[in-house]
């Protein structure tokens, strides 16, 4: 895999392309019109790696799947006493584990301990049933590990049936407009799924050469990728009528890699907290990207 020398904080092009139209065909999945998805492939960069292969798949959740998920998440927000506002303006709603076979965790000041409601667990079960090959591929990587202090820590910390998409969080911006500065996620986002529940938001992605692309997500839109592998930010959409609300699903993967970096107020970007996971991270990222290139993703 070739390495590209990329200057940190490279400038964006004057005009950033925006993908507004929902995909109406399925790349590699022509027989699945209700779960039509488009897969994009590019090289991203993290604080330690200048060129990491990435697959990003986006599509629309079928109505029969989306409606019960939305109902569940609305009830959880209405009944939650956990809503809090962080320094960046994000209102973090309730967070959960999908099953009790993965460790309870604390991340970004939030506990992932409580078992998710049935509606969210059923959605994750549905996703697993649609993508069995992904779980098989990652099961073959169970021997991959890295050193952390005196311990040898597995990259995938449980059987993939339990580890993938096992940490759930509901995110809503209190202003109704989403704003999340440039950052690279930590290791649990190597296998990552986001579903827009209400409102609109724009995901802006920066590749390894500094080129930027924007994706406009509306209710029912989803994307599956590895945002631990590329710089990205979330932007508001003018005139959006509903609060921007998203279901985020991360995995029990490379959990010692706490952050891949974040933009500071002066525009400089931090190196994150990666704790000796680079080699494992690059290997696992390539496995996920190659899988998406060959098989895509279905909901």
């Amino acid at each position: 895999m070739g390495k590209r020398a990329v200057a940190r904080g490279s400038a964006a092009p004057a005009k950033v392309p925006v993908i507004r139209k929902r995909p109406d065909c399925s790349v590699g999945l022509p027989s699945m019109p209700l779960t039509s998805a488009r897969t994009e492939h590019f090289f991203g960069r993290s604080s330690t790696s200048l060129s990491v292969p990435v697959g990003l798949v986006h599509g629309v959740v079928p109505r029969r799947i989306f409606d019960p998920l939305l109902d569940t998440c609305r009830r959880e927000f209405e009944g939650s006493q956990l809503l809090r506002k962080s320094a960046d303006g994000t209102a973090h709603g309730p967070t959960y584990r999908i099953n009790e076979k993965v460790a309870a965790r604390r991340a970004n000041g939030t506990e992932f301990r409580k078992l998710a409601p049935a509606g969210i667990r059923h959605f994750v079960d549905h996703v697993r049933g649609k993508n069995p090959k992904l779980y098989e591929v990652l099961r073959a990587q169970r021997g991959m590990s890295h050193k952390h202090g005196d311990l040898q820590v597995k990259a995938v910390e449980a059987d993939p049936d339990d580890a993938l998409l096992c940490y759930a969080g509901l995110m809503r911006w209190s202003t109704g407009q989403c704003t999340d500065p440039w950052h690279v996620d930590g290791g649990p986002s190597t296998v990552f799924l986001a579903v827009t529940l209400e409102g609109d938001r724009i995901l802006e992605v920066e590749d390894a050469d500094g080129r930027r692309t924007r994706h406009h997500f509306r209710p029912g839109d989803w994307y599956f990728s590895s945002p631990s592998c590329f710089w990205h930010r979330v932007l508001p959409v003018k005139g959006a009528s509903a609060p921007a609300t998203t279901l985020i699903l991360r995995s029990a993967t490379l959990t010692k890699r706490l952050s891949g970096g974040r933009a500071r107020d002066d525009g400089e970007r931090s190196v994150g907290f990666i704790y000796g996971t680079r080699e494992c991270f690059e290997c696992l990222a390539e496995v996920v990207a190659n899988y998406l290139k060959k098989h895509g993703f279905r909901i």
Side-chain angles (χ1 to χ4, degrees), residues 104-143:
R105 299 195 182 279
R106 182 176 176 83
N108 300 321
T110 304
E111 296 279 353
F112 292 84
R113 184 178 300 277
K114 180 182 176 183
L115 190 64
I120 296 177
R121 286 185 279 123
H122 291 163
F123 175 72
V124 174
D125 288 342
H126 169 81
V127 170
R128 181 170 59 247
K130 287 290 185 179
N131 302 276
K133 187 68 176 178
L134 173 64
Y135 292 76
E136 293 175 19
V137 166
L138 289 175
R139 190 168 289 112
Q141 306 302 320
R142 286 298 311 281

Side-chain angles (χ1 to χ4, degrees), residues 16 27 35 74 89 108 112 135 151 160 173 185 192 205 229 258:
V16 179
V27 174
T35 55
R74 279 177 171 167
N108 300 321
F112 292 84
Y135 292 76
L151 301 175
W173 283 260
D185 288 14
F192 172 98
V205 172
C229 299
L258 303 182

Side-chain angles (χ1 to χ4, degrees), residues 47-48 103-108 144-158 167 184-190 228 250-261 271-281 284:
S47 57
T48 57
R105 299 195 182 279
R106 182 176 176 83
N108 300 321
M144 188 187 298
S145 64
H146 66 89
K147 192 83 170 174
H148 185 75
D150 294 330
L151 301 175
Q152 200 70 25
V153 180
K154 288 185 177 294
V156 182
E157 296 185 7
Y167 294 119
V184 182
D185 288 14
S189 292
T190 306
S228 57
R250 296 184 174 92
S251 302
T253 55
L254 297 171
T255 56
K256 301 302 181 185
R257 191 179 182 89
L258 303 182
S259 166
V271 297
F273 299 94
I274 58 156
Y275 296 117
T277 58
R278 175 178 176 174
E279 183 177 354
C280 226
F281 159 71
L284 191 60

Side-chain angles (χ1 to χ4, degrees), residues 19 23 59 82 109 129 131-132 161 168 172 200 202 211-212 230 283 291:
I19 299 175
L82 302 176
N131 302 276
D161 281 353
R172 175 180 289 169
D200 291 50
I202 288 175
R211 293 184 295 255
R212 297 178 180 175
F230 55 88
C283 290
Y291 170 85

Side-chain angles (χ1 to χ4, degrees), residues 195-237:
V195 180
T196 301
L197 300 170
E198 296 178 301
D200 291 50
R201 65 192 193 119
I202 288 175
L203 172 72
E204 185 170 2
V205 172
E206 182 178 280
D207 73 9
D209 294 319
R211 293 184 295 255
R212 297 178 180 175
T213 303
R214 291 180 177 178
H215 302 268
H216 185 166
F217 293 115
R218 301 171 178 82
D221 291 347
W222 58 267
Y223 83 92
F224 181 91
S225 190
S226 300
S228 57
C229 299
F230 55 88
W231 286 91
H232 58 285
R233 63 176 175 170
V234 182
L235 299 170
V237 177

Side-chain angles (χ1 to χ4, degrees), residues 18-82:
V18 179
I19 299 175
R20 292 189 177 88
K21 186 178 179 181
R22 293 189 181 193
D24 56 7
C25 63
S26 182
V27 174
L29 308 173
S31 62
M32 302 283 289
L34 291 179
T35 55
S36 59
R38 182 164 58 196
T39 305
E40 300 172 21
H41 304 282
F42 58 95
F43 283 85
R45 60 192 172 101
S46 72
S47 57
T48 57
S49 306
L50 294 179
S51 187
V52 187
V54 178
L56 189 154
V57 190
H58 48 93
V60 183
V61 181
R63 178 63 65 182
R64 64 182 178 81
I65 303 299
F66 179 71
D67 284 349
L69 177 65
L70 177 60
D71 288 344
T72 295
C73 294
R74 279 177 171 167
R75 286 195 301 271
E76 288 297 300
F77 256 117
E78 289 169 1
S80 175
Q81 301 300 314
L82 302 176

